[in-house]
Amino acid sequence: MVEDNPARVFGSSMFLCLLVLITWNNIVVVVPQAEARAFFVFGDSLVDNGNNNYLFTTARADSYPYGIDYPTHRATGRFSNGLNIPDIISEKIGSEPTLPYLSRELDGERLLVGANFASAGIGILNDTGIQFINIIRISRQLQYFEQYQQRVSALIGPEQTQRLVNQALVLITLGGNDFVNNYYLVPFSAR
């Protein structure tokens, strides 16, 4: 029987709290790293940075006023006026922002930075977001992650790919649409 090490649990909890504080308060903390980490993002519109731009869907953020405070002052597919949570985390860890998995620009060395698999409109429940016609449900995001690993393996080999994935930072943000779409939009909900 494996017992939880209280010091380890406490350390993990403190790291999580520190990460939340870094993003919430915009505090800059320099953490020495031996090498850069890949960053993988899964979830909904809070973290989607443009995957839905490549889909036939009504859940899109590719027109004004989205992006007005983004560095290019144009809509990018982010459901925000500027940077989103993954952009800020990438900045804080000293990495370039992850690209949407469906972007043609995500190839070669750019794959080693990680990828964003998020899709606006999804939820934990499989029928959340059915009104948006075509979105990347969490199960499909995980299938794309498997494809991603195959693509990286062809680039750097299976052992290096396993190391890259094992040492990566992962952000999963979803569940809000399950409440909004299924409880607050009752006339339009399958529930």
Side-chain angles (χ1 to χ4, degrees):
M1 185 166 93
V2 178
E3 293 181 23
D4 286 332
N5 179 342
R8 188 169 160 190
V9 171
F10 178 75
S12 297
S13 299
M14 289 306 295
F15 176 75
L16 181 61
C17 290
L18 178 62
L19 185 60
V20 169
L21 285 174
I22 290 170
T23 14
W24 185 50
N25 288 328
N26 203 19
I27 298 171
V28 178
V29 175
V30 178
V31 179
Q33 291 181 218
E35 54 188 77
R37 297 175 111 184
F39 183 27
F40 301 112
V41 181
F42 301 88
D44 57 23
S45 62
L46 293 176
V47 292
D48 182 355
N49 68 346
N51 277 309
N52 282 16
N53 287 353
Y54 301 95
L55 303 173
F56 178 73
T57 181
T58 56
R60 295 178 71 131
D62 59 351
S63 60
Y64 181 85
Y66 292 116
I68 58 174
D69 293 327
Y70 192 74
T72 61
H73 304 293
R74 291 184 303 205
T76 60
R78 290 165 175 82
F79 281 76
S80 68
N81 61 329
L83 301 176
N84 65 8
I85 295 166
D87 295 323
I88 295 166
I89 292 173
S90 292
E91 233 175 51
K92 297 299 180 191
I93 64 173
S95 179
E96 60 186 87
T98 57
L99 291 172
Y101 182 71
L102 299 180
S103 170
R104 288 184 206 103
E105 295 176 26
L106 184 64
D107 65 352
E109 296 291 318
R110 287 182 166 179
L111 283 166
L112 303 180
V113 172
N116 187 314
F117 302 91
S119 177
I122 72 142
I124 296 168
L125 304 170
N126 283 332
D127 61 348
T128 296
I130 59 171
Q131 71 272 27
F132 298 123
I133 304 169
N134 187 21
I135 51 181
I136 309 169
R137 304 202 181 287
I138 194 66
S139 58
R140 184 72 171 141
Q141 289 180 33
L142 295 173
Q143 289 171 348
Y144 281 152
F145 182 57
E146 288 177 6
Q147 288 178 4
Y148 165 87
Q149 291 176 73
Q150 292 169 359
R151 292 171 63 190
V152 171
S153 186
L155 186 68
I156 63 172
E159 287 181 25
Q160 288 292 87
T161 300
Q162 192 65 48
R163 184 175 297 123
L164 179 105
V165 169
N166 288 347
Q167 295 175 352
L169 178 62
V170 177
L171 173 65
I172 303 171
T173 303
L174 75 155
N177 289 324
D178 295 296
F179 289 103
V180 172
N181 296 337
N182 295 323
Y183 297 103
Y184 295 116
L185 301 177
V186 175
F188 305 106
S189 173
R191 295 190 183 276

